[in-house]
Amino acid sequence: MQTPIISAKASAGLGLRRGLIKDLQAAPAGHFDFLEVAPENWIGIGGAQGAALRALAERYPLSCHGLSLSLGGPSPLDVGFLQQVRVFLDHYNVPLYSEHLSYCSDDGHLYDLLPLPFTEEAVHHVAARIRQAQDILGRRLAVENVSYYAAPQQDMDEVTFTNAVLREADCDLLLDVNNVYVNSINHGFDPHEFLAGIDSNRVVAMHIAGHFDESDTLKIDTHGASVKPAVWSLLAEAYARFGAHPTLLERDFNFPVFSELVAELQTIRRLQAEEVSRGQALVA
């Protein structure tokens, strides 16, 4: 199967959600550049939904973002599942596969992304599992910084832990800008310092999403609302630090009319274009 490769730089995408299939199929060229899928939700799917995936994959490149690998978990990695993912990635010529820097299973699926302790032991544990996953997949893996509400043992801060995992595993980072903002409010750190501390050579893509304001000191990462102004500002700062990388607008439920999602995609494009222009001006 021949599909175009996602640009290494400025592009904007949407998640392939079943509730959006009709809108995605009807969208004219230019509304979005790529689609992101969770491979475990699509491997082996047939019927009308399988046909829709195949048709959309002929029109748009796919990116893959996993939900159940449980990179930080105590149970052995599911090698059989990873082999299925590799076949899926190869079949659709997927350039980027990412997963969460968390865990979600222990002798059974826990149906949540649970935080890891920020300890040296956890760095070694998850880095070894990432290397194993990369060996099975035959490609680099990107891990995503996750939102978290409980904080297990923290011998180091989140950015130090993240960089340590990236370095020891020799993997990439999918930077979720909304998660940086949400965590900064919930755990009282400076999101600008977090961005400044991330190893810029590891960032390969970004996520942006909406969240729920439970209070001034508690934000819930929902993927069910529009992106907040403060998060748009943080995205612009991330582009300035790391470049205008491919960026996914995450919306998992509570879907608005499609034109509202297109308007948010246009905001991503505008911020990317501004960063590209700024970079060109600095070089000139």
Side-chain angles (χ1 to χ4, degrees):
M1 172 175 291
Q2 297 298 317
T3 55
I5 298 297
I6 297 173
S7 167
K9 290 297 179 182
S11 57
L14 277 171
L16 177 49
R17 307 294 183 255
R18 286 169 172 80
L20 289 177
I21 284 180
K22 290 183 178 179
D23 288 318
L24 297 174
Q25 290 173 322
H31 275 9
F32 51 89
D33 301 309
F34 66 93
L35 291 169
E36 183 190 83
V37 301
E40 46 268 83
N41 289 341
W42 294 95
I43 290 173
I45 294 295
Q49 292 182 343
L53 169 64
R54 291 189 294 274
L56 285 167
E58 291 289 347
R59 295 174 57 194
Y60 303 99
L62 298 184
S63 176
C64 281
H65 187 52
L67 300 171
S68 59
L69 193 51
S70 198
L71 286 171
S75 300
L77 290 177
D78 188 335
V79 172
F81 169 66
L82 278 166
Q83 291 169 338
Q84 288 182 311
V85 170
R86 179 169 183 167
V87 171
F88 186 90
L89 299 178
D90 289 343
H91 179 71
Y92 287 106
N93 196 24
V94 177
L96 175 66
Y97 175 48
S98 57
E99 250 288 0
H100 299 85
L101 189 54
S102 64
Y103 74 102
C104 61
S105 64
D106 181 14
D107 196 25
H109 207 289
L110 302 175
Y111 298 100
D112 203 354
L113 298 172
L114 301 175
L116 300 175
F118 298 155
T119 64
E120 287 289 343
E121 182 181 8
V123 168
H124 301 323
H125 174 71
V126 71
R129 289 163 67 87
I130 292 170
R131 291 197 303 271
Q132 180 188 0
Q134 291 183 143
D135 288 343
I136 297 169
L137 292 166
R139 51 176 45 83
R140 292 177 70 83
L141 182 68
V143 294
E144 179 194 51
N145 56 299
V146 299
S147 58
Y148 60 97
Y149 305 94
Q153 183 175 343
Q154 296 187 336
D155 295 343
M156 60 189 82
D157 60 21
E158 183 184 355
V159 71
T160 302
F161 174 79
T162 302
N163 283 334
V165 169
L166 298 174
R167 182 171 56 252
E168 186 167 326
D170 190 20
C171 66
D172 297 319
L173 177 67
L174 188 159
L175 178 65
D176 190 308
V177 175
N178 183 64
N179 288 351
V180 174
Y181 178 79
V182 165
N183 290 346
S184 74
I185 299 297
N186 294 344
H187 301 288
F189 64 79
D190 187 328
H192 312 291
E193 291 182 1
F194 183 98
L195 292 183
I198 285 291
D199 182 351
S200 61
N201 294 320
R202 300 286 180 176
V203 179
V204 295
M206 299 184 192
H207 276 180
I208 187 103
H211 61 263
F212 177 70
D213 293 317
E214 180 71 29
S215 71
D216 289 344
T217 57
L218 178 60
K219 312 299 179 184
I220 308 297
D221 177 38
T222 63
H223 301 178
S226 299
V227 179
K228 307 285 187 179
V231 179
W232 285 125
S233 295
L234 202 61
L235 179 64
E237 181 178 340
Y239 287 156
R241 290 189 179 277
F242 309 115
H245 287 284
T247 302
L248 181 88
L249 174 65
E250 291 189 287
R251 192 64 177 259
D252 293 342
F253 70 101
N254 193 27
F255 299 118
V257 295
F258 195 67
S259 60
E260 292 186 20
L261 296 180
V262 172
E264 290 193 294
L265 290 168
Q266 290 173 342
T267 300
I268 293 173
R269 292 190 190 283
R270 175 178 59 80
L271 294 175
Q272 289 179 333
E274 289 173 356
E275 173 53 30
V276 170
S277 296
R278 187 187 73 86
Q280 291 173 341
L282 291 175
V283 172

